[in-house]
C-alpha cells in the first residue's frame, strides 16, 4: 500500500469519526445504514466482483443473520455469541448454495439464488411461531461492548464503524492473499485457472460462503440498528439494492461497494427536496450511469487514469498503462 493511499485512508477514517458529531440523530442513522449495507455489499463484491459468481440472494443472508441474532439476544444469549453463530450459519448455508454454481452459470445461477431468496422470505413469513410472521420481531436489544452500552445513536455508530473497519481490513487481506488471486482467476477464465492448478470447486464454494457470512453480519447489525425486523426487509428488492451498490461503485474494485452504498443510501436523502419526484430522478440517474459507465464509477476513474498514462507515454500498451 502506497503512502498516498495510506494517507487517504487515514483522512477518510478521520472524517468518519468526526462526521456524526455534525449530524442529527436521523443523520447518524443514515450513516449507520450506509456502513451496514457497505459490509453486505463488500461480501457480494467478493462473490460477484472478484470470483465472478452471480448472486441475487444477499438479502436472504442478511435476513438469516438478523433473525438469528434477534432470537438469540432476546433469549439472553450475549451478542458476540449470537453474531458469530449468525456468521457461521450463513457461511455454511452460503457454502451449500455454492454447489449449484458448480453446474450452472450466469443467468441460470441468478435464477437459483433468486429462488433461494424467495424461499427464505416465505419461511420468515409463514413460520410465525418462530419469526413472528408478517408482524416481525420488535424490541431487539442493542449490545454492550466491553461493558459499555450502545443505546445512543452515537455509541452505536462507533460500534458499527469499528466492525466496518475490521471487516474491510479482513477483506483486503483476503484479496491480497493467494486466495484473492484464485478468486480473480476463477472470474477471468475458469478453464485456464483449472489448468494452472486452481481448485475451482473449493474456490467457488468459498466465494459464496465468505460473501454470505458478510451478509449475515450486516443483517445482525441491521436488526439492532432498527430494533425491528420483518420478512419484507429482506426480499428481492433489497438483494437488487445491494447488487446495485456493487455495480454502481465498481464490481471487482475494493472501494467500489463502499462508494456504491454511499450513493444508493445517501442519494435519495439529498433528492428529497424534489418531494414526489425524487424516486423518478434517482431512477433516471441510475439508468444514465449504467448506460455510460457500465464498469461503475471506479471503473470510469480507472479508464481515465489509463488514458492519461497512454497520453504521457504513447509507446506503452494498454495493459502496461493499466497496471
Amino acid at each position: 500500500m502506497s503512502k498516498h493511499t495510506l494517507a487517504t485512508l487515514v483522512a477518510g477514517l478521520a472524517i468518519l469519526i468526526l462526521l456524526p458529531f455534525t449530524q442529527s440523530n436521523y443523520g447518524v442513522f443514515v450513516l449507520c445504514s450506509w456502513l451496514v449495507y457497505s459490509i453486505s455489499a463488500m461480501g457480494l463484491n467478493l462473490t460477484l466482483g472478484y470470483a465472478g459468481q452471480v448472486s441475487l440472494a444477499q438479502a436472504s443472508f442478511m435476513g438469516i443473520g438478523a433473525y438469528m441474532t434477534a432470537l438469540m439476544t432476546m433469549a439472553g444469549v450475549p451478542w458476540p455469541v449470537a453474531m458469530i453463530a449468525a456468521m457461521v450459519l450463513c457461511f455454511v448455508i452460503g457454502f451449500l448454495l455454492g454447489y449449484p454454481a458448480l453446474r450452472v452459470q450466469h443467468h441460470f445461477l441468478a435464477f437459483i439464488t433468486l429462488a433461494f431468496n424467495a424461499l427464505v422470505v416465505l419461511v420468515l413469513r409463514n413460520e410465525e411461531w418462530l419469526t413472528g410472521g408478517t408482524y416481525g420481531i420488535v424490541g431487539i436489544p442493542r449490545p454492550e461492548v466491553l461493558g459499555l452500552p450502545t443505546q445512543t445513536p452515537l455509541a452505536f455508530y462507533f460500534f458499527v464503524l469499528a466492525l466496518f473497519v475490521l471487516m474491510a481490513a479482513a477483506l483486503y487481506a483476503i484479496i491480497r492473499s493467494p486466495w484473492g488471486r484464485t478468486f480473480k482467476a476463477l472470474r477471468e477464465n475458469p478453464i485456464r485457472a483449472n489448468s494452472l492448478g486452481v481448485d475451482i470447486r473449493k474456490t467457488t464454494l468459498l466465494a459464496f460462503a465468505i460473501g454470505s457470512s458478510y451478509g449475515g453480519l450486516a443483517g445482525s447489525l441491521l436488526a439492532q440498528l432498527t430494533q425491528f425486523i420483518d420478512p419484507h426487509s429482506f426480499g428481492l428488492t433489497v438483494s437488487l439494492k445491494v447488487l446495485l451498490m456493487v455495480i454502481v461503485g465498481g464490481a471487482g474494485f475494493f472501494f467500489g461497494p463502499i462508494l456504491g452504498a454511499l450513493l444508493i443510501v445517501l442519494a435519495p436523502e439529498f433528492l428529497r427536496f424534489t418531494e414526489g419526484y425524487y424516486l423518478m430522478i434517482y431512477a433516471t440517474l441510475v439508468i444514465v450511469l449504467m448506460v455510460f459507465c457500465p464498469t461503475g464509477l471506479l471503473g470510469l476513474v480507472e479508464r481515465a487514469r489509463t488514458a492519461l498514462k497512454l497520453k504521457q507515454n504513447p509507446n506503452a500498451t494498454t495493459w502496461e498503462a493499466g497496471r
Side-chain angles (χ1 to χ4, degrees):
M1 183 181 295
S2 66
K3 291 182 179 178
H4 176 72
T5 304
L6 185 60
T8 304
L9 289 177
V10 171
L13 184 59
I15 292 173
L16 289 178
I17 292 174
L18 297 175
L19 187 59
F21 291 104
T22 65
Q23 302 294 315
S24 62
N25 285 344
Y26 180 71
V28 175
F29 175 84
V30 173
L31 289 175
C32 277
S33 297
W34 165 49
L35 295 177
V36 169
Y37 278 104
S38 292
I39 293 173
S40 182
M42 282 193 288
L44 183 60
N45 192 35
L46 180 68
T47 307
L48 173 66
Y50 286 100
Q53 305 301 310
V54 180
S55 174
L56 291 176
Q58 194 69 353
S60 62
F61 292 106
M62 292 178 68
I64 293 170
Y67 273 85
M68 188 161 186
T69 302
L71 292 172
M72 291 184 72
T73 52
M74 294 181 78
V77 177
W79 182 82
V81 177
M83 179 203 71
I84 293 172
M87 291 184 69
V88 170
L89 179 62
C90 289
F91 184 93
V92 172
I93 296 176
F95 191 87
L96 297 176
L97 185 64
Y99 273 94
L102 301 175
R103 302 184 65 86
V104 297
Q105 291 290 318
H106 308 304
H107 56 286
F108 295 106
L109 181 57
F111 286 136
I112 291 175
T113 55
L114 173 65
F116 176 76
N117 201 144
L119 176 64
V120 170
V121 171
L122 286 174
V123 170
L124 297 178
R125 184 181 299 165
N126 294 327
E127 299 301 323
E128 296 183 11
W129 61 274
L130 181 65
T131 64
T134 55
Y135 297 104
I137 298 176
V138 297
I140 301 167
R142 289 183 176 176
E144 288 190 359
V145 182
L146 302 175
L148 300 174
T150 59
Q151 302 302 323
T152 64
L154 270 180
F156 191 74
Y157 170 82
F158 287 114
F159 168 65
V160 175
L161 178 61
L163 286 175
F164 166 79
V165 173
L166 183 64
M167 297 307 291
L171 183 63
Y172 183 80
I174 291 173
I175 62 175
R176 298 285 293 182
S177 71
W179 274 109
R181 288 188 283 276
T182 61
F183 287 139
K184 294 175 185 175
L186 175 65
R187 176 192 64 191
E188 297 298 331
N189 193 323
I191 298 175
R192 183 185 299 170
N194 194 29
S195 68
L196 293 174
V198 174
D199 189 335
I200 297 298
R201 181 186 180 90
K202 186 187 295 183
T203 304
T204 302
L205 297 178
L206 275 179
F208 271 94
I210 297 173
S212 303
S213 64
Y214 271 71
L217 175 60
S220 176
L221 294 172
L222 187 65
Q224 289 164 331
L225 172 64
T226 59
Q227 298 185 288
F228 165 74
I229 52 175
D230 67 348
H232 179 72
S233 305
F234 308 105
L236 175 62
T237 304
V238 179
S239 278
L240 293 176
K241 184 178 177 181
V242 178
L243 177 63
L244 189 61
M245 293 173 184
V246 176
I247 300 299
V248 167
F253 292 95
F254 180 76
F255 293 104
I258 301 172
L259 178 60
L262 180 68
L263 290 176
I264 301 302
V265 173
L266 295 188
E269 302 298 330
F270 284 113
L271 293 173
R272 283 191 187 278
F273 72 93
T274 61
E275 298 180 350
Y277 296 100
Y278 83 97
L279 282 179
M280 295 171 63
I281 297 173
Y282 173 67
T284 304
L285 289 175
V286 170
I287 292 172
V288 171
L289 180 63
M290 287 295 92
V291 170
F292 292 99
C293 188
T295 55
L297 292 174
L298 292 186
L300 186 64
V301 173
E302 188 70 17
R303 278 193 295 171
R305 191 170 67 90
T306 302
L308 180 62
K309 285 187 177 180
L310 286 173
K311 188 175 181 180
Q312 294 172 341
N313 185 10
N315 296 324
T317 64
T318 304
W319 181 80
E320 290 172 337
R323 294 181 63 187

